[in-house]
Amino acid sequence: MTLLEIFPSLRDGGMTPRLDPAIWPRDTHYDGDGRITVGGVALADIADQYGTPTYVLDEGEVRGRCQEYRKRFPDAEIIYAGKALLTRAVAEWITDEGLSLDVCSAGELAVALAAWADPRRIVLHGNGKPFAELETAINCGVGRIVVDSPTEITLLSALANRPQRVLIRVTPDIDVHGHPAVRTGVTDQKFGFPIGGQAVWEAVDRIVRQPNLELAGLHCHIGSQIHDTFPYGEAVRRMIGEMARIRDEFDITLTELDLGGGHAVAYRGGDAEMNLAELADIIEDSLDAACARHGFPRPRIALEPGRAVVARAGVTLYRVLSVKHVEDGHTYVTVDGGMSDNPRVALYGARYDAVVVNRHPTGPHMTATIAGRHCEAGDILAHDVRLPADLRPGEVLAMPCTGAYHHSLASSYNGIGRPPIIAVTEGRTRELIRRETIDDLMCREMGC
Ligand code: LLP
């Protein structure tokens, strides 16, 4: 007999612990047996059917986030940054929802094309694009290429055999004080051309003299996991200023301004996240003011969210391998995944939460560290997580907000294959990416 059978009032939410909608997919609930469901599917069933660790991805949540962007920014082009998570199905969902797609390698481009994404709505990024990748992109007709170095202009001039639209990536000298690994708006770094500098002039000058290169506009990406709207307003002001200077100097009016991505999500309850309505307002206001000030016609705005589209749609399932209480009072819960499926804790000090998937955590609790199974002390998945004090090996934990930069950053470190991605929607599961097996790892060994 379950607790719910004894206390039916639990069913209508009386004592149901709240799964914070800021970090879980919107369609997350406790079912009648106290099990967590996402997209109408019990996470415990997914763990049983597909094993663990497993990435679960809620299609409805991805589509919902796309719709929210389109609603908040009706006049802007929304270009999903595929680096956050790209599979054929994800590319299909986002294009279905009217988004364009940003790719930064021939591999990502191949996935996009396999999903029948319209090449004209694909934007190619990267500070180092190999010749062969530029050639592939041009041959398949990608809509825009974001130029990131003088060398690339030379390569593009040689390769383009029909008009190719390009944007120039500019660093607007805005420091959002995020993690150094994702601080891309400042001047002294590997991306783009510093704003107001000679290098931008030279890039414009060279591009406009190439008959097959068509300079459509400028691009900037000021960083990632930014929750403050102010830097975006500042970016608009500076970039419009730069576009006006280019007009004055070269007598060309650029028509596109791509403001990149970087919109923060909450990883744990209470974390700050980007408010899209406020972002839309500040972009509008800054655009009005800057365009009026420089007498510049309003360019078409593009935004490139990655994380904010897919992060909350993802939940990772792990099985508990051991629960260990060490002498200083710490409790380590070791699970069957780790830094190979989520390197973000080790890379950026990211913080996560986790819950048991198949019972209401109503009894006594403990505060635990969730550790991975890799051979490094730094292989930690989450600190200070509240878990049932009687947590046992074999139970399944779900870690929310793991849809962005998890699968795409995953490795097979320690010979542990990458987890599958299981999509959920309306009570059904669909395996998007299968688990990487030992055979997969071995088949790269030559001569076996
Ligand atoms: N556009 C460009 C040119 C970018 O470089 C990026 C991210 C985006 C858009 C999307 O940014 P988002 O909206 O996802 O923040 N691995 C790190 C994040 C690296 C972001 C790299 N560029 C992480 O796990 O936090």
Side-chain angles (χ1 to χ4, degrees):
M1 178 167 265
T2 68
L3 202 58
L4 286 158
E5 284 160 335
I6 303 167
F7 301 113
S9 65
L10 282 178
R11 241 179 252 283
D12 53 44
M15 282 175 61
T16 305
R18 212 169 140 261
L19 290 165
D20 190 339
I23 59 173
W24 289 88
R26 279 166 277 200
D27 190 11
T28 305
H29 308 280
Y30 275 103
D31 71 8
D33 295 322
R35 307 182 311 162
I36 299 174
T37 65
V38 175
V41 185
L43 295 179
D45 289 346
I46 298 177
D48 287 345
Q49 185 177 349
Y50 296 97
T52 50
T54 282
Y55 300 121
V56 177
L57 190 65
D58 183 354
E59 176 180 343
E61 179 70 24
V62 175
R63 289 183 181 274
R65 296 288 167 189
C66 294
Q67 289 157 12
E68 195 178 337
Y69 268 97
R70 300 225 37 219
K71 184 175 131 215
R72 298 284 180 205
F73 303 93
D75 300 326
E77 180 180 6
I78 308 298
I79 307 172
Y80 169 64
K83 51 185 78 64
L85 173 66
L86 196 62
T87 73
R88 272 192 315 172
V90 172
E92 279 164 19
W93 303 340
I94 65 103
T95 50
D96 231 32
E97 296 299 335
L99 272 56
S100 304
L101 185 56
D102 137 16
V103 300
C104 62
S105 69
E108 288 185 355
L109 179 58
V111 175
L113 296 176
W116 301 106
D118 179 352
R120 291 168 302 180
R121 297 200 58 185
I122 295 178
V123 179
L124 179 68
H125 272 288
N127 65 308
K129 305 181 191 71
F131 182 83
E133 298 202 358
L134 282 172
E135 191 173 28
T136 309
I138 285 179
N139 288 344
C140 78
V142 301
R144 277 150 295 170
I145 296 178
V146 181
V147 171
D148 210 300
S149 72
T151 313
E152 213 176 294
I153 302 172
T154 311
L155 298 181
L156 285 172
S157 320
L159 281 166
N161 46 17
R162 58 172 179 260
Q164 173 65 55
R165 282 170 88 80
V166 298
L167 305 177
I168 296 177
R169 179 158 176 170
V170 171
T171 47
D173 199 20
I174 293 174
D175 190 352
V176 291
H177 302 289
H179 191 282
V182 293
R183 211 181 288 162
T184 46
V186 295
T187 303
D188 185 6
Q189 45 114 356
K190 69 173 189 167
F191 289 106
F193 299 89
I195 197 161
Q198 188 61 25
V200 177
W201 284 167
E202 283 170 12
V204 174
D205 186 47
R206 287 186 59 202
I207 291 170
V208 296
R209 284 192 285 110
Q210 298 303 324
N212 277 339
L213 298 185
E214 192 185 315
L215 183 58
L218 299 185
H219 171 281
C220 68
H221 172 70
I222 57 178
S224 219
Q225 193 53 3
I226 303 165
H227 52 79
D228 183 5
T229 53
F230 178 79
Y232 287 94
E234 189 55 30
V236 169
R237 285 188 282 279
R238 292 185 189 196
M239 297 294 282
I240 294 289
E242 191 75 343
M243 289 166 96
R245 279 191 291 273
I246 290 170
R247 174 199 55 193
D248 298 345
E249 182 76 18
F250 296 93
D251 199 23
I252 47 166
T253 301
L254 304 180
T255 54
E256 287 185 34
L257 174 55
D258 184 332
L259 293 169
H263 316 150
V265 301
Y267 280 93
R268 293 185 64 142
D271 285 356
E273 62 180 7
M274 174 58 78
N275 180 319
L276 292 187
E278 283 173 22
L279 180 63
D281 284 349
I282 199 157
I283 290 176
E284 275 303 299
D285 293 350
S286 318
L287 207 51
D288 283 348
C291 288
R293 176 157 178 236
H294 296 283
F296 195 83
R298 243 177 114 90
R300 177 140 199 252
I301 294 293
L303 299 174
E304 295 175 339
R307 188 189 319 265
V309 175
V310 289
R312 281 161 292 216
V315 174
T316 306
L317 305 180
Y318 299 103
R319 212 169 274 277
V320 175
L321 297 179
S322 73
V323 180
K324 197 159 69 176
H325 306 281
V326 296
E327 271 170 23
D328 71 355
H330 248 93
T331 298
Y332 286 91
V333 172
T334 296
V335 295
D336 56 1
M339 65 197 302
S340 58
D341 61 75
N342 177 7
R344 298 195 66 260
V345 181
L347 281 174
Y348 318 112
R351 298 179 71 240
Y352 290 89
D353 202 357
V355 294
V356 185
V357 300
N358 59 354
R359 56 176 165 134
H360 283 289
T362 44
H365 280 84
M366 63 178 174
T367 300
T369 298
I370 302 181
R373 59 175 291 207
H374 293 279
C375 303
E376 293 197 24
D379 174 29
I380 298 298
L381 287 169
H383 296 275
D384 302 327
V385 179
R386 230 169 104 83
L387 290 169
D390 61 349
L391 184 74
R392 295 175 300 270
E395 289 198 90
V396 175
L397 298 182
M399 200 167 277
C401 209
T402 53
Y405 302 110
H406 280 239
H407 175 260
S408 62
L409 284 180
S411 73
S412 51
Y413 183 38
N414 289 155
I416 297 168
R418 286 168 287 181
I421 303 180
I422 309 300
V424 289
T425 186
E426 293 168 359
R428 284 174 287 112
T429 59
R430 176 154 72 111
E431 191 169 18
L432 303 185
I433 299 282
R434 67 164 172 77
R435 185 179 302 285
E436 192 172 32
T437 62
I438 293 175
D439 283 348
D440 290 327
L441 303 179
M442 289 304 292
C443 75
R444 297 180 65 225
E445 291 275 352
M446 303 301 284
C448 277

